[in-house]
Amino acid sequence: MPPFKSLIQVDKTLPTPVFLQLSEQLGQLIRAGTLVAGQRLPGTRQLADLLELNRQTVVAAYDEGLAQGWLESRAGSGTYVAAHFPDIKPQLLASNDSTASVLGTDSTGTQPGYAFDSLNFLVRPVLTNSAGLHLDDGFPDIRLAPMDELSRAYRSYFRWGNPQTHFGYGDTKGHLLLREQLSLHLNETRGLRTTPENILITRGSIMGLHLTSQVLLRSGDIVVTGETTWAGATMNFRKTGATILTVPVDQHGLDVDALARLCEQKNTIRMVFVTPHHHYPTTVTLRPDRRIRLLQLAEQYRFAILEDDYDYDFHYLSRPILPLASADREGMVVYVGSLTKSVAPAFRIGYVVAPTALIDELARLRRIIDRQGDPMLEFAIGQLLKTGDLKRHFRKALRTYHVRRDRFCELLTSELAPIVQFTKPDGGMAVWARFDPAIDMDALATRAGQKGLFLSSGVFHNPPGQQLHGTRLGFASSTEEELERSVMVLRNVLGSSFGFPGFIRPW
């Protein structure tokens, strides 16, 4: 008989009933091969005496094992380990590790016992809001978010309406109130011509890009992007097996003449990905004549345009240029946007705007990934659009970010020229900064972090075989005083670590 008194340890102080603890530990012994198929277990009275338990506790544990299929009862003979289990070779404890897992050979729990493909192109640094000084990728200032208004909208969700409707399953496309209000907002501010049926609400724009890629792309399809582009998009394209080709990006945005030549050579282009309002990462705006030409090429060669308009709401020169989707007459543009950058990253609200046939298909695919979004958050954001609170927030944030952009650009010019070169962006929440080629960008980011300033090295913006020596320096999420301190830290790091002694200034 196995040494049950040593093998089984129950803890009566735990919230889990003792009979369930006993039943589970018997199951673990069976899975580990300590108890083998067909082995007879002690009688309930005998095991109760061994473990100093009430006999009824053991009876309940055996009943649970019978119900789970681990055990079987034989009339007049007793309780046995079920005969249908295969022979399992008991695992030996490693000589220097008394905690080896019964789940596999790796006692640390890091590696499974089966093989799978790990895709290197999915490895990408996770950008987070830093609690200290930061020149981030271009995040909003969460301190400006309309939290009180959102809180009131959330409470109204609980107070009003039918609970069965509010807390049951909802529309896969998103809460109707948000789609209605967002349709009105997009038509008013972006010149679109939508109805709620043209909109799918997603958890951020990245879900919209993923769903669109999965529906429109197949292995071997050609997707064209700029030489510099957003890695989050290209990762999705590559996951489908698509081939990615690139064209140059200059001070006027995507080179559509180069795209036209590519179309002549490869007349099977399936999709072109663009961020025309503020190109990522360089922030340049696609010139109007290039926009027209891009739409003409899409109609001629029948490729889809995936337009990511990630920060349309923040443009500082009068009225921003309207999206490509506003001039689309042939249904060639899939328009993806987000309220995440406009409010706060934690509020995962994105959207896809497209002809209804595509929206319906995207919704069907979304259903097997994520049955629906967050109805409470979607309702709350819809309420803020309906009451005008969100539009007031946009106007307030726009004024604030405009002032911060101007002050930040002044600081870059007065404190970091000529080591740092940039063009003042017309909009968005970050500056694309190019550093002196003598500067190691990885080392710069590391040493700035040691001084309390987070910034990205920008190396993941580099096209294959090129060194841009550039990165995005976000200004929107920092106050003017925080921006001044950040630039002084950066200046001192450049002076002390990279041979620019004239840049060192005492605090």
Side-chain angles (χ1 to χ4, degrees):
M1 180 183 298
F4 286 104
K5 190 172 181 64
S6 300
L7 292 173
I8 295 177
Q9 300 293 325
V10 297
D11 186 346
K12 297 180 181 180
T13 65
L14 296 177
T16 304
V18 172
F19 83 93
L20 287 180
Q21 295 182 47
L22 176 57
S23 175
E24 176 57 30
Q25 290 186 50
L26 287 172
Q28 290 173 359
L29 293 174
I30 294 170
R31 292 191 293 271
T34 305
L35 298 177
V36 299
Q39 183 172 351
R40 187 177 185 278
L41 296 182
T44 55
R45 192 180 305 278
Q46 182 183 6
L47 187 58
D49 290 340
L50 280 172
L51 301 179
E52 299 179 354
L53 298 175
N54 186 288
R55 180 171 176 260
Q56 292 305 314
T57 300
V58 179
V59 170
Y62 278 11
D63 287 344
E64 180 68 17
L66 292 169
Q68 296 293 334
W70 296 110
L71 306 178
E72 61 185 23
S73 179
R74 299 178 187 176
S77 180
T79 303
Y80 293 77
V81 177
H84 62 265
F85 283 108
D87 290 335
I88 303 173
K89 183 179 180 180
Q91 293 184 332
L92 299 178
L93 294 178
S95 59
N96 61 346
D97 184 2
S98 61
T99 61
S101 171
V102 299
L103 297 179
T105 58
D106 178 17
S107 63
T108 65
T110 60
Q111 294 296 329
Y114 45 83
F116 67 96
D117 291 332
S118 181
L119 304 176
N120 290 334
F121 66 82
L122 295 181
V123 178
R124 181 166 168 251
V126 177
L127 301 179
T128 58
N129 286 74
S130 172
L133 294 175
H134 50 270
L135 298 173
D136 52 41
D137 192 58
F139 298 151
D141 191 339
I142 297 170
R143 293 167 292 191
L144 300 180
M147 298 299 186
D148 291 339
E149 292 84 352
L150 268 171
S151 177
R152 287 196 295 270
Y154 261 107
R155 289 197 298 271
S156 70
Y157 188 85
F158 289 88
R159 291 199 305 263
W160 301 335
N162 185 342
Q164 286 284 67
T165 302
H166 275 1
F167 299 102
Y169 286 117
D171 194 325
T172 309
K173 294 180 181 178
H175 199 287
L176 180 59
L177 173 64
L178 178 56
R179 289 190 290 124
E180 289 174 341
Q181 294 302 315
L182 191 57
S183 176
L184 294 172
H185 176 70
L186 295 176
N187 294 348
E188 175 187 339
T189 61
R190 290 154 170 78
L192 304 186
R193 297 170 301 282
T194 68
T195 70
E197 297 307 308
N198 294 117
I199 298 175
L200 172 71
I201 304 299
T202 60
R203 293 184 187 268
S205 60
I206 190 68
M207 176 184 273
L209 290 172
H210 175 76
L211 294 173
T212 303
S213 300
Q214 292 295 318
V215 169
L216 295 186
L217 299 178
R218 295 292 178 269
S219 180
D221 283 349
I222 296 175
V223 179
V224 179
T225 73
E227 281 184 337
T228 56
T229 192
W230 184 42
T234 57
M235 289 159 64
N236 274 287
F237 306 150
R238 293 181 67 181
K239 189 66 177 68
T240 68
T243 299
I244 299 176
L245 303 179
T246 63
V247 294
V249 176
D250 58 23
Q251 69 271 26
H252 302 300
L254 196 76
D255 186 341
V256 294
D257 290 333
L259 175 62
R261 292 191 294 271
L262 196 58
C263 288
E264 293 174 1
Q265 300 166 11
K266 308 273 189 181
N267 60 4
T268 56
I269 290 174
R270 177 60 169 162
M271 179 188 292
V272 173
F273 173 72
V274 288
T275 51
H277 199 234
H278 305 126
H279 177 74
Y280 188 94
T282 64
T283 75
V284 298
T285 299
L286 187 62
R287 202 169 59 190
D289 62 302
R290 294 191 180 188
R291 292 168 178 251
I292 295 172
R293 180 68 175 135
L294 178 56
L295 287 168
Q296 291 172 340
L297 289 172
E299 294 174 10
Q300 179 181 353
Y301 291 97
R302 310 312 295 176
F303 58 75
I305 299 175
L306 182 51
E307 179 178 15
D308 182 4
D309 213 357
Y310 62 96
D311 59 3
Y312 181 89
D313 292 303
F314 302 113
H315 198 83
Y316 310 117
L317 297 180
S318 65
R319 184 175 177 85
I321 297 176
L322 293 176
L324 289 166
S326 68
D328 179 24
R329 297 293 183 270
E330 298 292 328
M332 310 307 297
V333 178
V334 181
Y335 183 75
V336 177
S338 172
L339 296 177
T340 293
K341 287 290 185 72
S342 303
V343 183
F347 298 120
R348 305 303 301 165
I349 295 290
Y351 51 87
V352 181
V353 178
T356 56
L358 179 60
I359 292 296
D360 290 344
E361 186 64 21
L362 294 176
R364 286 189 282 267
L365 176 59
R366 187 254 176 85
R367 183 168 183 168
I368 67 171
I369 301 170
D370 182 20
R371 169 60 179 77
Q372 63 190 55
D374 183 342
M376 286 178 279
L377 176 59
E378 293 173 10
F379 171 85
I381 296 295
Q383 279 289 93
L384 295 194
L385 280 169
K386 185 176 182 179
T387 60
D389 287 325
L390 198 56
K391 295 178 183 178
R392 284 188 285 274
H393 165 69
F394 292 157
R395 291 193 293 269
K396 175 184 175 182
L398 180 64
R399 291 192 299 269
T400 301
Y401 297 161
H402 192 169
V403 171
R404 292 177 181 179
R405 180 207 65 167
D406 291 347
R407 179 57 181 148
F408 186 53
C409 290
E410 289 173 3
L411 290 165
L412 291 179
T413 300
S414 64
E415 303 298 333
L416 299 181
I419 295 178
V420 177
Q421 298 181 353
F422 70 97
T423 299
K424 180 188 284 189
D426 294 337
M429 294 181 280
V431 169
W432 173 248
R434 301 286 292 270
F435 285 72
D436 188 293
I439 295 171
D440 183 321
M441 295 299 293
D442 278 323
L444 175 64
T446 299
R447 291 168 188 172
Q450 293 168 350
K451 299 295 184 181
L453 170 64
F454 167 82
L455 61 92
S456 168
S457 68
V459 295
F460 52 86
H461 297 312
N462 294 334
Q466 298 185 44
Q467 294 292 327
L468 300 180
H469 294 282
T471 191
R472 285 168 61 88
L473 301 177
F475 55 81
S477 59
S478 301
T479 65
E480 292 178 70
E481 187 269 338
E482 290 166 344
L483 290 171
E484 292 167 4
R485 291 168 54 203
S486 298
V487 171
M488 288 303 105
V489 170
L490 189 54
R491 179 186 175 98
N492 283 343
V493 169
L494 289 170
S496 62
S497 301
F498 296 97
F500 301 100
F503 273 59
I504 301 176
R505 282 188 179 178
W507 285 95

